[in-house]
Amino acid sequence: MKNLQSVLTCVFFLSVLFSFSQGKVAGTVIDGEFNEPLAFANVLVKGTTTGVTSDFDGKYELELDPGTYTIVFSFVGYTTQEISDVVIKDGEVFTLDVVMASNSLDEVIITTSSRKNTESAVLNLQKKSTVVLDGLSSQAIKSTGASNVASAVKSVPGVSIQGGKYVYVRGLGDRYTKSILNGIDIPGLDPDRNTIQMDLFPTNILENVIVLKSASAEYPADFTGGIVDIVTKDFPSKGEYSISLGTGYNPDMHFKDNYLTSEGSDTDFLGFDDGTRNVPVNRYQFEEGVLGNGVNTITLTNLTDRFEKELAAKQQTSGMNFDFGFTLGNQYDVGDDKLGYQASFSYKNNTTFYENRLDGAFIKNPQDTSQNDMIATLDSRGSEGINNVILNGMLGLAYKTDTSKFRVNLLHIQNGESTAGFFNQTISQDGTGGGIEPLTKNSITYTERSITNLLISGKHRLNSTNDDMPFNFEWKLSPTFSKVMDKGHRITPFQQADDGASFLSPSASTLPIQLWRHLIEESWAGKADFDKGVDIFGRSAKIKFGGAFTYKFRDFSIDDFTFNIRGDQSFIADGNANNLLASSNLWTPETDAGTFVVFTDNFNPNDAYEGEQHIAATYFSTEFNITEKLKTVVGLRTEMFSSFYTGQDAENVFDRELILDEFDFFPSANIIYALNDNSNVRASYSRTTARPSFKEASVAQIFDPITSRLFIGNLDLVPTYVNNFDVRYEFFGEEGGQMFAISGFYKDFTDPIEQTFFVSAPTQLTVGNLGNAVVYGAEFEARQRLGFISEGLNNLKLTANFSVIKSELTMSDDEFAGRVASARDGETIDRKRDLQGQAPYLINLGLNYDNSDIGLRTGLFFNVQGETLEVVGIREVPDVYTQPFNSLNFTLNKSFGEDKRSSIDIKVSNILAAERLSEFTSFGTSNQIFSLRQPFREFSLGYTFKF
């Protein structure tokens, strides 16, 4: 028995030792004809009988002993590929994605190295794709050393990142760029934006990121610049676990003892308020009969005493930015099937301090057109401290059989942002430069945001796996629940007397206010997609058809409470805002003097609304080769869009009023002609749209109490429609990673939606369809390794993208007449102007070094957009232009330690210390500030350990 135990123990340890002395080669086999997974391709170790076939999702895994191998990929009708120098190490996974090209000849074998194959995999997808796209595979993302999508996607031509988080494509703003997660809509932390924050997603959970620049029928029609599709992994090829820690230091913002903040709740560090800032009274608690209507009651004193008494920002030393996170994932065999999971969590805590925040409002002289200098109606200068906390958690489960895949993905994002500021302001009481009064303003705000998204999906092979013409079905259901809560915003303005004493002045500064804004939104999105291989003109082709439906509902309301003083105001004369609601200074029936809450200003139905949207879509497309070299995809998408509105203004009450009801056709056609094996000519046409958001298509009024700017919705908005034309020549070099392309594009906009001012109020903003526009331009992009200069420079790669864009909007009669009437002497008014939100040029440059042998990746990246129209002026109110922000950033990632499981990240952001500046522009005079923020430089250090 003892001998048997010894033998069994020996066998056990040998088996364990053997299992740990193996590695894996794993990846995806892609059908280069259709840019989709190639199911049941053969994967074989050359010179052996060891091999597997890819599953219906194109995935494969092959366990091998440590060593160097050549892997052979083959499939009937496709060129066989032999990939050499595949190095397998103990316990590691060698990722090898391969793009297979179709071939009508008897036998063609292409031999290349694993390194060259890796570099060219995504470029092969671009080369074969019938739509204009750029992409980052998981390998390409890894090679950038980026820790999140926002950092990685900077290297995609034509893409810029605004504010370190939002993606713009071809210089078009948020309205015309759309982001989707795993192929389906998901709102961001700001539900009125079309894109989600890209810095929320760690790169090690990504399968790929695809940026489409031309439309295709299976994608939503509400984009013009591009669609960014973030695709997460089903599960890793082996157990993967990692933790990461990071910190960021900005010398001009951190460890400043004059940083402004306020007392918060005990859970602010988790991104939500624990109830401390909840509305302290019921909106219907007030009855006519309290102070102001001749009746005195102790109830008013008690109600006033419930409100937060801290109204002045306090000073304390600011801390550094910090973050941490972890990811984990694994897969398990369940018989012949696979079950896997992927999970991630990240926490970011960022502190921003604008020591010199500037905001302004200006108009042209309405009385004298010979005067070119603009007149100030608002000048605001002060300091503002901001603390932003974001938690992001994601859990995904996937189950795979030979012919089906089921997936569940849960995402939750929690965000809390607290601000505190103090501002010295001068304001024109009549809005035209007259009645200038000096003010001080204390500001304390807190905004809580959250998103919860669930994705349930399935993918199925409907016909036999032996059938050369696959028939696939994919379905997705995705509910999303969003909340944005402004909790206890406290704005306390005081007017300054000639002797410097502070007092309340509702006519000049408005009364002190505490407000709560509540936005709750839910979205239900579902889609079904079918694709079938067919023969057209005797050649392999594919048809796609399907449908989608999205339901969105939003409920928005505001509770605001203003405060006034009866009698003597001497207790606030020193400007200390905290004295305003001190218990000893409140109004009482006995004294009939002091601070009280104004009962008429608690809830205004005019500022509340409900919105509802239905989007039903169907599509059909076919992709086929007309000749050996000419490929096309032609499609048609239909979308029925309905928008309902419930709300009211001073004159009308809307009860689920149908304000938009559109049924539209969105055709698309993409053609690619292969001049030779390495170069293509492309042409495409598509029709797309941009629709107003809930906030824009409303009559609600949303007030920014710091700048006193008021946004007012517009129920008369109609959707924008865009006809898009693209042509492109592209060349792909023999060496992996080399590419050159030049493109031309033309976009015809009908009724673009633009942000503009009101004539009578230069601090009030709205949106409107202000005319029709065209946008046309050229784009140049190149990727080139510098090994052609010297072999020693082969790890150094230069990427460049330049876009030159001209936009022309033909003004409406009213806008043109207003500009002519307010023109300065000697000024000529053109009927055409720039389109709001369109940059005139875009420059992306990157120089990066990647040496996987030593685990070093580093790069220098530059991005700038030209002067862009931000807000459209009207009559005497001038245009506002965003000035170029010259963004220069450095990144370095170094892996080290056993199996290079440890890595450090070093980043320097905004090396040039560029400012975010928007300015009023007018004829014959210098620009004036609309807003100015100085982010300065930030130095970041991160550490990651992989288990």
Side-chain angles (χ1 to χ4, degrees), residues 114-339:
S114 61
R115 175 173 294 185
K116 289 183 179 180
N117 177 78
T118 297
E119 292 171 341
S120 60
V122 172
L123 291 183
N124 280 334
L125 288 179
Q126 286 181 254
K127 181 162 60 173
K128 295 292 184 179
S129 173
T130 49
V131 297
V132 179
L133 65 79
D134 285 286
L136 292 172
S137 68
S138 57
Q139 294 163 276
I141 293 169
K142 182 179 178 181
S143 71
T144 67
S147 59
N148 60 64
V149 176
S151 299
V153 82
K154 289 177 182 178
S155 60
V156 175
V159 170
S160 58
I161 300 294
Q162 302 297 311
K165 61 186 77 170
Y166 294 111
V167 171
Y168 286 17
V169 179
R170 283 180 167 171
L172 281 164
D174 172 77
R175 186 183 302 280
Y176 302 108
T177 301
K178 187 177 188 66
S179 61
I180 55 180
L181 179 66
N182 293 314
I184 203 161
D185 279 6
I186 178 174
L189 286 173
D190 183 347
D192 290 306
R193 299 186 74 107
N194 217 17
T195 57
I196 193 170
Q197 291 183 215
M198 293 292 165
D199 60 342
L200 296 176
F201 300 97
T203 53
N204 53 354
I205 67 168
L206 299 180
E207 183 73 24
N208 55 55
V209 178
I210 299 295
V211 180
L212 290 99
K213 298 179 183 176
S214 65
S216 190
E218 63 263 36
Y219 289 98
D222 55 338
F223 85 98
T224 296
I227 288 182
V228 181
D229 188 6
I230 305 166
V231 183
T232 58
K233 293 178 182 177
D234 293 334
F235 44 74
S237 301
K238 65 163 190 167
E240 291 184 358
Y241 314 95
S242 70
I243 58 171
S244 59
L245 303 169
T247 186
Y249 171 63
N250 188 317
D252 294 280
M253 292 188 178
H254 300 147
F255 302 121
K256 296 289 185 178
D257 58 10
N258 58 339
Y259 172 76
L260 298 179
T261 186
S262 65
E263 293 294 330
S265 78
D266 292 338
T267 56
D268 283 4
F269 75 100
L270 295 176
F272 68 93
D273 174 74
D274 64 2
T276 299
R277 301 181 179 90
N278 285 353
V279 184
V281 298
N282 188 289
R283 66 172 54 153
Y284 304 110
Q285 222 168 327
F286 292 82
E287 299 177 1
E288 295 189 25
V290 294
L291 190 63
N293 201 29
V295 178
N296 300 336
T297 168
I298 193 64
T299 301
L300 180 62
T301 307
N302 293 334
L303 291 175
T304 306
D305 199 31
R306 294 183 186 178
F307 286 88
E308 179 60 53
K309 302 182 185 305
E310 183 190 29
L311 304 179
K314 65 178 183 179
Q315 293 187 350
Q316 72 175 35
T317 301
S318 57
M320 294 170 59
N321 299 336
F322 64 93
D323 61 83
F324 62 87
F326 64 83
T327 64
L328 52 140
N330 207 342
Q331 62 164 294
Y332 306 94
D333 292 328
V334 182
D336 293 332
D337 303 333
K338 289 186 181 296
L339 174 67

Side-chain angles (χ1 to χ4, degrees), residues 550-863:
T550 301
Y551 169 83
K552 294 182 179 180
F553 175 81
R554 176 183 292 186
D555 184 5
F556 178 81
S557 63
I558 301 176
D559 292 275
D560 55 36
F561 303 85
T562 56
F563 302 86
N564 208 342
I565 298 175
R566 170 169 284 189
D568 181 25
Q569 297 192 17
S570 60
F571 57 87
I572 63 167
D574 63 356
N576 185 353
N578 289 335
N579 290 336
L580 181 69
L581 289 177
S583 297
S584 59
N585 295 326
L586 301 185
W587 176 91
T588 65
E590 292 77 22
T591 62
D592 195 28
T595 305
F596 63 95
V597 61
V598 180
F599 83 94
T600 57
D601 290 344
N602 51 348
F603 173 70
N604 185 352
N606 292 0
D607 295 335
Y609 67 86
E610 289 182 359
E612 187 179 330
Q613 291 180 354
H614 304 168
I615 308 172
T618 61
Y619 74 89
F620 178 87
S621 70
T622 179
E623 183 177 338
F624 60 94
N625 281 67
I626 299 174
T627 69
E628 189 72 29
K629 293 189 173 185
L630 183 62
K631 186 196 297 187
T632 184
V633 56
V634 179
L636 177 65
R637 185 179 183 89
T638 67
E639 289 193 357
M640 180 181 292
F641 175 77
S642 303
S643 184
F644 301 87
Y645 181 76
T646 300
Q648 69 180 62
D649 57 18
E651 300 175 352
N652 304 289
V653 175
F654 305 92
D655 184 9
R656 204 171 180 269
E657 188 90 9
L658 181 62
I659 59 173
L660 283 174
D661 188 17
E662 308 286 344
F663 179 72
D664 296 303
F665 292 91
F666 298 102
S668 61
N670 294 269
I671 298 173
I672 174 175
Y673 181 76
L675 296 174
N676 52 49
D677 290 342
N678 295 319
S679 60
N680 298 321
V681 173
R682 299 177 179 273
S684 68
Y685 163 77
S686 63
R687 184 173 188 256
T688 57
T689 187
R691 300 182 177 111
S693 68
F694 280 123
K695 181 178 74 172
E696 293 171 336
S698 74
V699 294
Q701 302 184 10
I702 301 173
F703 181 61
D704 181 347
I706 298 176
T707 62
S708 298
R709 292 179 183 139
L710 182 70
F711 177 87
I712 302 175
N714 179 2
L715 273 183
D716 296 325
L717 288 174
V718 297
T720 302
Y721 294 100
V722 188
N723 288 303
N724 307 276
F725 302 86
D726 287 84
V727 293
R728 174 180 170 110
Y729 168 78
E730 55 194 17
F731 170 80
F732 300 86
E734 295 289 346
E735 294 295 322
Q738 182 187 33
M739 192 272 281
F740 164 84
I742 186 167
S743 310
F745 54 89
Y746 179 91
K747 300 178 184 292
D748 183 14
F749 291 74
T750 301
D751 295 320
I753 301 169
E754 299 184 295
Q755 186 169 254
T756 185
F757 293 102
F758 277 94
V759 176
S760 58
T763 58
Q764 292 185 4
L765 299 170
T766 188
V767 284
N769 303 107
L770 303 182
N772 297 328
V774 296
V775 173
Y776 52 93
E779 185 177 67
F780 165 84
E781 57 190 89
R783 305 178 194 179
Q784 176 65 60
R785 290 197 173 271
L786 302 186
F788 70 96
I789 299 175
S790 168
E791 182 65 28
L793 297 178
N794 197 51
N795 290 325
L796 197 61
K797 183 168 68 174
L798 176 67
T799 59
N801 168 245
F802 306 97
S803 300
V804 180
I805 306 157
K806 176 67 176 176
S807 64
E808 295 178 342
L809 180 136
T810 302
M811 288 182 257
S812 65
D813 291 340
D814 289 343
E815 182 186 348
F816 181 67
R819 287 181 181 262
V820 170
S822 62
R824 304 296 91 180
D825 292 354
E827 181 182 9
T828 301
I829 303 298
D830 192 337
R831 188 68 190 242
K832 296 181 178 180
R833 60 162 172 82
D834 295 338
L835 174 68
Q836 187 249 327
Q838 175 64 68
Y841 65 85
L842 172 68
I843 300 173
N844 278 322
L845 293 172
L847 183 65
N848 55 297
Y849 177 85
D850 179 7
N851 188 328
S852 57
D853 293 336
I854 63 173
L856 177 63
R857 303 177 183 93
T858 185
L860 194 64
F861 303 94
F862 175 79
N863 166 261

